[in-house]
């Protein structure tokens, strides 16, 4: 009798303590759902450096993790959260996306300073922040001084882009002489840019050969001409195809309210 | 209308400001009607429920203690729509097609979004329209529809994939 009582108490305790834990551990079917959860709740773990797709679809997302033991442990955690392991691939990045978002917020004064910083954004694929510098300010001493300040404050978090070239702040020229040397290399960047553009044109041409029906929303907006809808276009279509109540309904509502 | 604008509008509506209510109606009528229509799949029912929603909003506006007013409005709209559906479980695809404006003459093939949405399950329709037309977060939707957050994500993804396939004529 005593044994039965002990077993019963143990079973009840187990159930009470474990059920909430199991409920919390509800997993995500694919990496896409996990990504949506992180985005919506601003809940990126500290070891994640970014999320992107290398397949052009949502069936498989690449999640960048830090090149540290925390990143390795993070991979295991992600795999334990996702039911379909084939929906995720892993990449690596230098800095946590959470940290990069925080750094971006601290860059506002630099954007407002008019010292040559044209734009900036977190690049998920590199795990760094890409900064766009106005071409005519590339060798401007004030712009270089600003970048040096930023390097002193944030280290090599940034990559700088101008005429398509990417260099980290550690590689930046802080003298006019080095800046001129970099300018000499620009024709190569131009050739690379032209080649990339030609590849893009080819890709667009190939895609347009895939004929599907022309699609239009109920409000008359043409969504696609000769290509299948993407997920984003599908969402856009649903968002745009809104419905309006009739004028009679509106009249009935305001008649009812007038009597109140 | 964002949350701050809704709070400001309802503060005036609670004092009986009919002009502010008219403004609120003009801003919210389209998403509210769209969400209701996609749940009940009948224009006539949707018109009646929309009328009920807005009259209720004027007669008994939400108290200031409600934080997420947008979610609160859509929760009321959704609940009334579900109640109406339970009372009269009906509506076939023809009714659903009545929901869209039929102004596509001369177009080789016209996308019928409403028909595609009508083919989703009731829960999927609610999730898709509350998110895309109501502008609610998945967390709000999980609370309104009464399913777990991961389940909302899962159903949303499945629904969008299904819509894509239908709108693309089976080709993705």
């Amino acid at each position: 009798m005593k044994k039965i009582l002990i077993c019963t108490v143990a079973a009840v305790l187990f159930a009470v303590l474990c059920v909430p834990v199991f409920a919390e551990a509800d997993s995500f079917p694919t990496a896409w759902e996990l990504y949506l959860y992180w985005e919506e709740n601003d809940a990126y773990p500290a070891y994640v450096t970014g999320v992107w797709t290398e397949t052009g679809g949502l069936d498989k997302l690449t999640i960048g993790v830090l090149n540290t033991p925390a990143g390795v442990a993070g991979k295991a955690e992600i795999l334990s959260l996702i039911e379909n392991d084939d929906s995720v691939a892993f990449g690596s990045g230098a800095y946590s996306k959470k940290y990069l978002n925080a750094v971006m917020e601290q860059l506002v004064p630099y954007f407002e300073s008019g010292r040559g910083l044209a734009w900036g954004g977190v690049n998920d694929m590199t795990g760094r922040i890409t900064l766009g510098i106005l071409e005519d300010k590339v060798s401007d001493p004030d712009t270089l001084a600003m970048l040096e300040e930023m390097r002193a404050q944030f280290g090599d978090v940034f990559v700088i882009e101008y005429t398509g070239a990417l260099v980290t702040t550690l590689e930046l020229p802080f003298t006019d002489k080095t800046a001129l040397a970099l300018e000499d290399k620009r024709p190569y960047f131009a050739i690379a840019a032209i080649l990339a553009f030609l590849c893009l044109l080819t890709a667009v041409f190939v895609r347009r050969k895939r004929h599907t029906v022309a699609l239009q929303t109920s409000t008359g907006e043409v969504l696609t001409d000769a290509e299948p809808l993407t997920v984003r276009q599908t969402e856009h279509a649903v968002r745009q195809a809104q419905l309006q109540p009739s004028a009679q309904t509106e009249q009935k509502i305001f008649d009812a309210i007038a009597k109140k | 209308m964002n949350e701050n604008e809704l709070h400001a509008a309802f503060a005036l509506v609670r004092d009986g400001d009919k002009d502010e209510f008219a403004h609120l109606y003009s801003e919210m009528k389209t998403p509210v009607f769209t969400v209701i229509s996609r749940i009940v799949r009948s224009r006539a029912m949707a018109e009646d429920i929309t009328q009920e929603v807005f009259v209720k909003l004027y007669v008994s506006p939400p108290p200031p203690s409600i934080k997420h007013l947008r979610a609160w409005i859509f929760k009321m709209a959704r609940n009334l729509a579900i109640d109406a559906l339970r009372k009269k479980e009906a509506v076939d695809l023809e009714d659903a097609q009545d929901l869209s404006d039929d102004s596509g003459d001369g177009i080789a093939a016209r996308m019928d979004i409403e028909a595609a949405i009508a083919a989703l399950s009731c829960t999927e329709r609610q999730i898709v329209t509350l998110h895309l037309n109501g502008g609610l977060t998945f967390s709000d939707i999980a609370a309104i529809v009464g399913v777990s957050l991961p389940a909302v994500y899962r159903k949303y993804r499945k629904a969008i994939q299904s819509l894509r396939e239908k709108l693309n004529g089976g080709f993705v």
Side-chain angles (χ1 to χ4, degrees):
Chain A
M1 184 64 190
K2 207 174 177 180
K3 280 181 183 171
I4 293 170
L5 191 67
I6 290 169
C7 285
T8 310
V9 171
V12 168
L13 274 176
F14 178 82
V16 168
L17 294 174
C18 291
V19 164
V21 174
F22 291 147
E24 283 289 307
D26 206 351
S27 59
F28 297 88
T30 68
W32 192 79
E33 283 83 3
L34 180 60
Y35 160 72
L36 279 180
Y37 172 75
W38 284 342
E39 268 291 311
E40 186 168 281
N41 298 284
D42 194 18
Y44 281 98
Y47 55 77
V48 169
T49 61
V51 182
W52 65 94
T53 172
E54 289 179 349
T55 61
L58 297 174
D59 290 340
K60 188 161 196 161
L61 295 182
T62 302
I63 299 178
V65 294
L66 290 172
N67 294 315
T68 62
V72 175
K75 275 188 198 175
E77 185 173 88
I78 289 167
L79 288 173
S80 73
L81 285 169
I82 296 172
E83 288 165 19
N84 178 6
D85 290 354
D86 291 337
S87 70
V88 65
F90 289 101
S92 63
Y95 289 95
S96 158
K97 188 173 173 76
K98 213 170 188 173
Y99 172 69
L100 296 176
N101 285 337
V103 171
M104 273 303 294
E105 286 178 20
Q106 294 179 57
L107 296 184
V108 175
Y110 289 107
F111 284 110
E112 292 172 347
S113 67
R115 296 166 77 187
L117 189 54
W119 55 269
V122 174
N123 185 333
D124 284 43
M125 294 176 78
T126 60
R128 283 194 159 87
I129 289 172
T130 306
L131 297 177
I133 301 295
L134 294 173
E135 269 201 76
D136 57 347
K137 297 272 190 178
V138 166
S139 52
D140 186 308
D142 188 39
T143 303
L144 291 175
M146 175 191 70
L147 291 171
E148 200 161 27
E149 280 169 35
M150 291 165 73
R151 180 178 64 167
Q153 194 177 350
F154 302 109
D156 66 343
V157 165
F158 308 107
V159 288
I160 310 298
E161 184 174 310
Y162 58 96
T163 65
L166 290 177
V167 289
T168 70
T169 39
L170 291 179
E171 299 168 276
L172 264 180
F174 290 106
T175 64
D176 288 351
K177 196 178 167 188
T178 340
L180 283 171
L182 260 182
E183 276 183 18
D184 289 343
K185 291 180 183 173
R186 285 187 193 177
Y188 298 109
F189 300 137
I191 291 166
I194 289 166
L195 282 175
F197 180 68
L198 287 174
C199 289
L200 185 69
L201 271 183
T202 311
V204 168
F205 177 75
V206 168
R207 276 183 68 82
R208 290 193 75 83
K209 297 282 276 184
R210 297 163 63 188
H211 290 296
T212 57
V213 293
L215 299 171
Q216 192 182 45
T217 68
S218 56
T219 52
E221 183 189 356
V222 175
L223 288 168
T224 58
D225 217 8
E227 287 181 51
L229 284 176
T230 64
V231 168
R232 208 168 277 271
Q233 284 171 324
T234 306
E235 291 177 325
H236 179 70
V238 176
R239 210 175 267 127
Q240 292 303 305
Q242 303 212 78
L243 305 164
Q244 299 273 353
S246 66
Q248 289 93 318
T249 297
E250 183 169 334
Q251 192 58 51
K252 281 181 193 169
I253 290 169
F254 285 97
D255 286 348
I257 283 166
K259 291 174 192 163
K260 303 290 175 187
Chain B
M1 281 180 118
N2 62 33
E3 283 295 326
N4 288 339
E5 288 166 340
L6 281 173
H7 276 281
F10 275 112
L12 295 170
V13 170
R14 275 191 289 271
D15 291 335
D17 189 330
K18 289 192 167 77
D19 289 340
E20 189 56 39
F21 180 78
H23 173 61
L24 182 77
Y25 175 78
S26 74
E27 292 288 323
M28 296 298 293
K29 66 177 178 183
T30 305
V32 167
F33 183 74
T34 305
V35 166
I36 294 170
S37 300
R38 287 186 176 153
I39 294 173
V40 299
R41 292 183 294 159
S42 156
R43 174 170 275 280
M45 271 172 87
E47 300 271 4
D48 290 345
I49 299 163
T50 302
Q51 185 184 336
E52 194 178 344
V53 167
F54 280 100
V55 172
K56 275 190 176 177
L57 282 177
Y58 182 78
V59 176
S60 313
S65 56
I66 302 288
K67 281 185 182 169
H68 295 109
L69 282 174
R70 198 173 178 85
W72 189 88
I73 293 168
F74 282 104
K75 184 179 182 179
M76 179 169 74
R78 177 261 177 193
N79 288 347
L80 288 172
I82 294 289
D83 284 348
L85 257 193
R86 282 185 190 134
K87 282 176 197 161
K88 190 187 173 188
E89 189 65 62
V91 189
D92 56 18
L93 202 61
E94 273 181 41
D95 288 329
Q97 285 168 339
D98 286 345
L99 291 168
S100 58
D101 293 336
D102 208 359
S103 56
D105 291 350
I107 297 161
R110 177 171 129 326
M111 177 168 66
D112 199 338
I113 292 166
E114 299 311 325
I117 291 174
L120 299 175
S121 75
C122 186
T123 308
E124 287 171 348
R125 288 202 308 275
Q126 290 178 60
I127 291 169
V128 166
T129 192
L130 284 169
H131 182 61
L132 294 177
N133 304 112
L136 299 190
T137 65
F138 289 115
S139 310
D140 284 336
I141 295 169
I144 289 173
V145 179
V147 294
S148 72
L149 190 57
V152 169
Y153 288 126
R154 191 181 310 131
K155 285 174 190 296
Y156 178 75
R157 183 171 186 268
K158 185 171 161 252
I160 292 295
Q161 205 59 33
S162 167
L163 287 174
R164 264 187 89 198
E165 284 173 16
K166 285 194 171 59
L167 299 176
N168 285 325
F171 173 62
V172 177

